[in-house]
Amino acid sequence: QLPCGSLNPVYWFWRLKLNGPYTRYYINHINPWAKIIAFSSKNMLTLQALALLGQVGQIADKSLRPVCTEEHMWSIRYYSIFAFIHIRRIIQILANNKTIELTTEEMELYASVFQGNQFTPRQFISLRKLARKKHARPHALIKPPSVPLQSLLLVVSGTLEVEVRGHVTNHISAGSFLGEVEFLQMEEQLSGPDAPVEPMGRDMSIRATDNGTVTYLAWGFDELATFLRQPKSKQTSVRFEALLAKQLANKLLETDMKMSSRQSSSGRASTKASNAATPATQTATSFKAQSQVCPNNVCPKETEPKKEGKKGYFW
């Protein structure tokens, strides 16, 4: 029997209409034709909409029958689940098809840093909304020494300099991150709380250079880690960690090249100094030897050997 018995409007519809609408109005043909057209389409939104129409046709076909058996009820439940899945996919597609508006600065940042690392514009926007945009005047102190770094920084414009115990060790230009090691260290500490990790960078200070105002983005470690651990941010998390690892490797390579160039330049300088000192040492040695042979630096004049003339023959 129909659900709710005689209170169901379908019951009275069937009492008035012989043979039922599912055969007279061809409701049972909606699902096959909808599937044929759906799988012939290349547009995902069209495919999902036609698939939803087919599921609705199946629900109507099973529910608008004079006698709704238990088998029909199970079919209605399954088709309702499929219809819900299609509705959810349609909502996701419509949300992803919304126009994303980026400022000129955001477009340049996306093209220079994120696009080459396979970030979609929507993933970039989700990270950008999580960050705080800050400005630093020339020579402004951003992070004092003896204070642990609590944010991941991305320089948008300008240059930051890193000082360790009063010595400038590195310059961070536009498009580069700062604080990758501390962030990855914090993630490792969260994944294994039984293994405490000492904070790094306590002797490091960060300040803006004198070249001009510095614009940068700052992500709090805790907020960023919470966002990346969400199931919906799995792809963003993988790509973001790969981006940080890539930049960290480039920094290490650049530091090694600088150290090797400094060592080679210092080696050349010492070689030049030793070569310059060699003639002076030789002169001092010869002068010492001469003073030992000739007391008071007065030596007798050397006598040249007499030249023997040619012998003449007289006849």
Side-chain angles (χ1 to χ4, degrees):
Q1 300 296 326
L2 293 174
C4 302
S6 60
L7 297 179
N8 194 329
V10 179
Y11 173 79
W12 297 104
F13 182 79
W14 278 99
R15 292 292 299 268
L16 298 175
K17 293 284 186 179
L18 188 61
N19 296 328
Y22 75 98
T23 54
R24 297 184 61 179
Y25 300 146
Y26 302 101
I27 295 178
N28 57 331
H29 298 290
I30 293 178
N31 184 45
W33 280 105
K35 286 185 176 180
I36 292 172
I37 301 174
F39 289 108
S40 300
S41 175
K42 296 181 180 180
N43 190 347
M44 184 59 65
L45 180 61
T46 305
L47 189 148
Q48 294 292 335
L50 290 173
L52 175 61
L53 179 61
Q55 302 304 326
V56 172
Q58 286 283 33
I59 294 172
D61 180 24
K62 301 301 180 182
S63 61
L64 299 179
R65 289 176 180 259
V67 178
C68 190
T69 62
E70 186 67 19
E71 182 181 356
H72 294 158
M73 291 301 300
W74 278 109
S75 300
I76 291 172
R77 294 187 187 102
Y78 288 131
Y79 290 134
S80 299
I81 295 174
F82 292 147
F84 175 76
I85 294 174
H86 291 307
I87 291 173
R88 186 176 178 181
R89 287 293 300 153
I90 290 172
I91 294 174
Q92 292 177 353
I93 293 172
L94 292 175
N96 291 332
N97 289 340
K98 287 184 179 179
T99 304
I100 300 176
E101 295 182 358
L102 299 176
T103 62
T104 304
E105 184 179 75
E106 290 174 344
M107 290 179 63
E108 293 177 356
L109 184 63
Y110 172 72
S112 61
V113 180
F114 293 91
Q115 188 175 13
N117 292 276
Q118 299 181 352
F119 280 83
T120 63
R122 196 164 302 277
Q123 292 172 342
F124 167 70
I125 285 296
S126 63
L127 288 171
R128 172 64 186 87
K129 290 180 179 179
L130 193 65
R132 295 183 298 274
K133 186 177 181 179
K134 296 184 178 181
H135 302 277
R137 293 177 296 178
H139 206 65
L141 183 63
I142 298 175
K143 186 256 178 194
S146 72
V147 176
L149 186 63
Q150 299 294 335
S151 299
L152 178 67
L153 308 181
L154 173 60
V155 181
V156 179
S157 62
T159 305
L160 296 176
E161 62 182 14
V162 180
E163 296 181 2
V164 178
R165 298 175 183 176
H167 299 283
V168 178
T169 58
N170 201 357
H171 288 86
I172 309 300
S173 57
S176 300
F177 285 90
L178 183 60
E180 314 98 306
V181 178
E182 289 79 5
F183 176 70
L184 296 176
Q185 184 188 43
M186 190 211 68
E187 280 198 329
E188 182 180 357
Q189 189 174 5
L190 291 175
S191 61
D194 296 336
V197 182
E198 296 182 358
M200 299 178 61
R202 286 189 176 273
D203 298 332
M204 178 182 67
S205 63
I206 305 171
R207 66 175 65 249
T209 59
D210 299 332
N211 298 332
T213 304
V214 179
T215 303
Y216 62 96
L217 300 178
W219 288 271
F221 286 163
D222 296 333
E223 297 176 0
L224 183 59
T226 302
F227 171 77
L228 295 178
R229 284 198 300 269
Q230 295 178 1
K232 64 179 182 180
S233 304
K234 185 176 181 180
Q235 292 185 352
T236 306
S237 175
V238 172
R239 292 171 182 173
F240 193 70
E241 290 180 357
L243 173 60
L244 294 182
K246 179 181 177 181
Q247 290 224 357
L248 184 59
N250 292 335
K251 284 183 181 179
L252 294 176
L253 180 61
E254 183 180 357
T255 303
D256 291 342
M257 293 177 63
K258 286 182 179 179
M259 291 181 63
S260 61
S261 63
R262 288 177 183 175
Q263 291 177 358
S264 61
S265 61
S266 61
R268 288 195 298 268
S270 60
T271 304
K272 289 182 180 179
S274 61
N275 292 337
T278 301
T281 306
Q282 293 177 354
T283 304
T285 304
S286 62
F287 180 76
K288 184 177 180 181
Q290 185 179 0
S291 62
Q292 291 177 357
V293 176
C294 306
N296 299 327
N297 296 331
V298 178
C299 293
K301 294 183 178 180
E302 295 181 358
T303 57
E304 295 182 358
K306 294 182 180 180
K307 296 181 180 180
E308 296 181 357
K310 294 182 179 180
K311 295 183 180 180
Y313 297 92
F314 300 95
W315 299 96

